[in-house]
Amino acid sequence: MGKTFAEKILARKSGRNEVRPGEIVTVRPDRLLSHDNTAAIVAKIAADLTEFGPARKDMHVVVLDHVVPAATEKDAENHKAIRQYVQRYGVENFFDVGVGVCHQVMVEKGLALPGELIVGSDSHTCMYGALGVFATGIDRTEAATLILTGETWLKVPESIRIDLSGGLSPGVTAKDLILSIIGRLGADGANYQCVEFHGAAGLSIDERLTVANMGIEMGAKAAVFEVDSRTVEYLDSIGVVRDGNEPVWADSDAEYSRRLEFDLPTLGPLVAKPHTVDNVVSVEEVEGTPIDQCVLGTCTNGRESDFELAASILKGKQIASGTRLLLLPASREILRRAIASGAIDALLAAGGTLLPTGCGPCLGAHQGVLAAGERCLSTSNRNFKGRMGCAKAEIFLASPATVAASAIHGRISDPRKISPFSPP
Amino acid sequence: MSKVWKYGDDVNTDMLFPGKYTYSCSTAEQILPHLLEDLDPGFATGVRPGDFLLAGKNFGCGSSREQPALGLKAAGIEAVVAKSYARIFYRAAVNQGLLLIECPKAVRAYKEGDEVRLDAAAGTITVGGQSFSFPSLPEAILAIRDAGGLLPYARAKLRGRA
Ligand code: SF4
């Protein structure tokens, strides 16, 4: 019997010949990520750090992104404490305010490589699965323990195999694909499971990142793609030298708890209605719903191709009065490229507001917090009640194309009905 | 009699502890006033040590924040009994030493006003007179629980090595 991706990689990382689903193994992750929560993590082990020191200096990656630049004195103190920790313990990979959202930084700095095991004290750590990484979220206590010991426990998950076929239609994006998968499986449909995507050769790396990013929204422990020529091309483009880096992939006769197929050409634009991500409907069903705020960006859909898609829709047009459009690039590198390509200028000319690279309004801490009764249409990954600040606000999730089209009308709109997807 | 707090399916981490406080509240004292704020405003003031929390499927889905697990443990919740748990929350609870019981039958059996009693050693939970058994935890997880959580467990290991 063949093995799944998860069985192979967890055997490798626990130094065993083979592991089976349900077994608990001790693993040494290649990297540990934490962000603005780093201060709270290291505060748990202040005395232990003095006594034992960190297990490995190259393991911990720290990125300041969640409330950047600091919104309050408290945030500033938090950032300061993190900089002191990084200095004192010689953390090699530290990215200060403005470099980008942690997950995008991990990927574009070459800190998440095929065949690696990465844990992060953030649930969307699963995004690096796009590059064939077994990546999963953990809590702060576990992150603190990892800093000291360099190892942790994992239960070997069962796996779900999703086969993709065909290509996406114009105006339909990877965001619509993952929303359709989550809508079909449900918010816990992949709980404790590793989700393998097969047949994804037609998806770009940006598209795979969007899909893997949202694996956790169906409960997945990890969401992974096969390493192929596109992955290698991407790694080359960011200057990664892959000496000794060995990708892992499932055997064709591996055993799955469930198998599903998705036919890409049949998909249309989708929207996740408040207040759960699996509350997915076709754009037609919510067309015309008035929107106060549009958010384009975040670690889910804040890459260059997302801004270019939105710019292709908004170029030469204006967003509706009474609607605000917030632009939130996932990293400084992306922002620079989107400036160079003219995408940012087109979006600003259309009435967009550019926010600093980081998490911004996504978690409701600052920059674009919603008022009671307001409605937001966002390309981010969560529409939970209170997520963007106010529990009496509503968050709808959609693709960059749907958000751009909706910004023009101030109402949820079908991107296929407007140029460049239909003649003006 | 200990109180039973009963909620539905897919109770997410924002309902358990709003994301806007993630960076301002990390200790038990800071977390407790906001626990379940958007789900049940009466919880934070009403919860007493020994109370139970019952819920449907996928309890704790969403963010990796540990405040829900840390807060429920600090509030003295005897055990959470749910139909199923989201995986990051499950780990967070193990790491905090909070007892999670996965027992859909017990949740379904509960009626308003029923008394809930736990016999952790025997692996049984009694709901309104009906008794249900739940599977024992894997050894690796029990070892963490017995040590009082993941950090004390790791410290003991580090000292053993030194
Ligand atoms: S952009 Fe949003 S989802 Fe992504 S890491 Fe930041 S807060 Fe989390």
Side-chain angles (χ1 to χ4, degrees):
Chain A
M1 182 50 77
K3 296 196 172 61
T4 62
F5 169 85
E7 287 161 14
K8 284 190 181 177
I9 198 160
L10 293 180
R12 180 197 280 183
K13 295 298 172 184
S14 60
R16 309 252 298 265
N17 285 331
E18 104 174 357
V19 298
R20 303 295 304 163
E23 265 185 80
I24 291 183
V25 293
T26 301
V27 290
R28 298 182 68 77
D30 293 283
R31 306 271 181 199
L32 161 71
L33 165 81
S34 65
H35 43 67
D36 294 38
N37 55 17
T38 306
I41 290 167
V42 298
K44 291 173 186 290
I45 49 168
D48 307 284
L49 272 172
T50 319
E51 187 176 347
F52 307 108
R56 280 160 48 199
K57 284 194 167 68
D58 62 344
M59 178 181 66
H60 197 180
V61 182
V62 177
V63 185
L64 296 187
D65 63 351
H66 268 54
V67 191
V68 296
T72 64
E73 211 175 313
K74 206 156 183 178
D75 302 323
E77 289 298 338
N78 181 46
H79 291 168
K80 188 175 162 190
I82 294 169
R83 292 186 190 103
Q84 281 166 347
Y85 157 74
V86 161
Q87 266 261 315
R88 173 143 182 226
Y89 292 102
V91 173
E92 286 169 15
N93 290 296
F94 171 58
F95 302 92
D96 211 319
V97 170
V99 181
V101 180
C102 57
H103 305 307
Q104 180 62 26
V105 172
M106 286 292 288
V107 166
E108 71 184 28
K109 299 292 181 192
L111 297 169
L113 297 179
E116 289 189 337
L117 168 66
I118 297 179
V119 294
S121 60
D122 188 281
S123 59
H124 295 102
T125 299
C126 53
M127 185 172 94
Y128 332 140
L131 302 178
V133 182
F134 187 100
T136 197
I138 57 169
D139 64 60
R140 294 174 180 181
T141 296
E142 193 166 340
T145 309
L146 262 156
I147 293 173
L148 292 176
T149 64
E151 61 183 35
T152 190
W153 62 280
L154 280 181
K155 184 161 128 190
V156 181
E158 294 183 311
S159 298
I160 294 178
R161 175 174 166 146
I162 294 183
D163 282 279
L164 307 175
S165 58
L168 292 162
S169 311
V172 184
T173 72
K175 180 60 156 283
D176 302 301
L177 167 62
I178 186 63
L179 286 178
S180 104
I181 294 172
I182 295 167
R184 171 126 56 115
L185 273 120
D188 63 344
N191 201 12
Y192 296 104
Q193 305 274 324
C194 175
V195 179
E196 292 180 5
F197 292 94
H198 292 248
L203 295 182
S204 69
I205 296 302
D206 282 8
E207 291 174 315
R208 296 176 199 182
L209 288 165
T210 298
V211 171
N213 177 282
M214 291 188 71
I216 184 65
E217 307 311 331
M218 48 184 172
K221 185 158 193 151
V224 291
F225 286 80
E226 184 171 13
V227 173
D228 62 9
S229 58
R230 286 196 170 202
T231 326
V232 172
E233 218 171 275
Y234 174 76
L235 293 170
D236 287 348
S237 77
I238 56 171
V240 167
V241 183
R242 291 177 52 233
D243 281 350
N245 170 258
E246 262 185 69
V248 172
W249 193 235
D251 296 324
S252 55
D253 57 344
E255 209 176 314
Y256 296 95
S257 64
R258 200 171 166 191
R259 289 179 74 143
L260 294 101
E261 283 171 25
F262 283 81
D263 190 25
L264 274 48
T266 62
L267 294 176
L270 297 171
V271 174
K273 296 198 297 180
H275 295 285
T276 57
V277 184
D278 60 356
N279 193 9
V280 175
V281 297
S282 70
V283 72
E284 288 95 337
E285 277 176 70
V286 283
E287 217 171 346
T289 308
I291 292 296
D292 301 288
Q293 176 167 295
C294 290
V295 174
L296 181 66
T298 78
C299 63
T300 317
N301 275 121
R303 279 167 284 275
E304 209 181 331
S305 52
D306 298 313
F307 288 101
E308 253 147 39
L309 175 62
S312 74
I313 294 167
L314 278 159
K315 201 174 168 90
K317 302 188 186 111
Q318 281 298 311
I319 64 169
S321 69
T323 303
R324 11 189 226 274
L325 170 65
L326 306 181
L327 312 170
L328 188 67
S331 76
R332 182 185 283 144
E333 278 309 310
I334 290 169
L335 175 59
R336 289 183 62 202
R337 287 199 301 268
I339 288 173
S341 76
I344 293 292
D345 188 54
L347 293 168
L348 292 176
T353 302
L354 182 61
L355 301 179
T357 55
C359 299
C362 185
L363 76 159
H366 70 154
Q367 293 176 345
V369 170
L370 300 171
E374 283 195 317
R375 220 175 266 129
C376 178
L377 181 68
S378 172
T379 62
S380 53
N381 46 31
R382 272 195 189 133
N383 57 356
F384 297 166
K385 202 178 211 173
R387 169 83 180 177
M388 286 186 170
C390 176
K392 294 199 180 83
E394 291 187 331
I395 305 165
F396 292 69
L397 305 177
S399 76
T402 303
V403 169
S406 304
I408 295 172
H409 298 118
R411 295 169 181 277
I412 297 182
S413 307
D414 186 339
R416 294 168 302 183
K417 291 187 182 159
I418 129 178
S419 75
F421 304 113
S422 82
Chain B
M1 183 170 122
S2 51
K3 193 171 156 67
V4 177
W5 303 83
K6 170 95 199 280
Y7 305 104
D9 291 339
D10 299 312
V11 170
N12 63 54
T13 48
D14 279 87
M15 291 151 99
L16 293 170
F17 185 79
K20 61 187 169 201
Y21 305 127
T22 307
Y23 300 102
S24 47
C25 305
S26 12
T27 64
E29 302 75 64
Q30 292 166 332
I31 294 167
L32 286 173
H34 301 297
L35 209 54
L36 276 63
E37 188 169 280
D38 288 339
L39 176 66
D40 180 354
F43 181 87
T45 46
V47 67
R48 297 284 172 271
D51 285 359
F52 287 89
L53 196 154
L54 260 61
K57 67 176 179 66
N58 202 23
F59 185 80
C61 60
S63 126
S64 69
R65 76 187 64 127
E66 70 182 9
Q67 286 95 333
L70 206 156
L72 290 173
K73 173 82 184 165
I77 287 288
E78 185 76 18
V80 181
V81 187
K83 290 183 183 167
S84 66
Y85 297 93
R87 59 156 296 272
I88 301 183
F89 178 78
Y90 187 90
R91 292 179 79 79
V94 169
N95 294 342
Q96 294 305 333
L98 171 69
L99 181 60
L100 299 188
I101 295 170
E102 191 165 311
C103 190
K105 283 187 187 149
V107 175
R108 274 194 292 268
Y110 176 79
K111 292 180 306 303
E112 179 82 49
D114 277 352
E115 188 181 359
V116 173
R117 270 177 300 128
L118 168 75
D119 186 341
T124 58
I125 181 131
T126 311
V127 175
Q130 258 180 292
S131 182
F132 304 91
S133 57
F134 54 87
S136 65
L137 294 166
E139 249 172 67
I141 290 178
L142 281 176
I144 295 169
R145 260 261 307 287
D146 292 347
L150 186 65
L151 261 175
Y153 174 79
R155 282 185 188 116
K157 261 180 106 171
L158 281 168
R159 299 228 157 81
R161 260 180 225 169

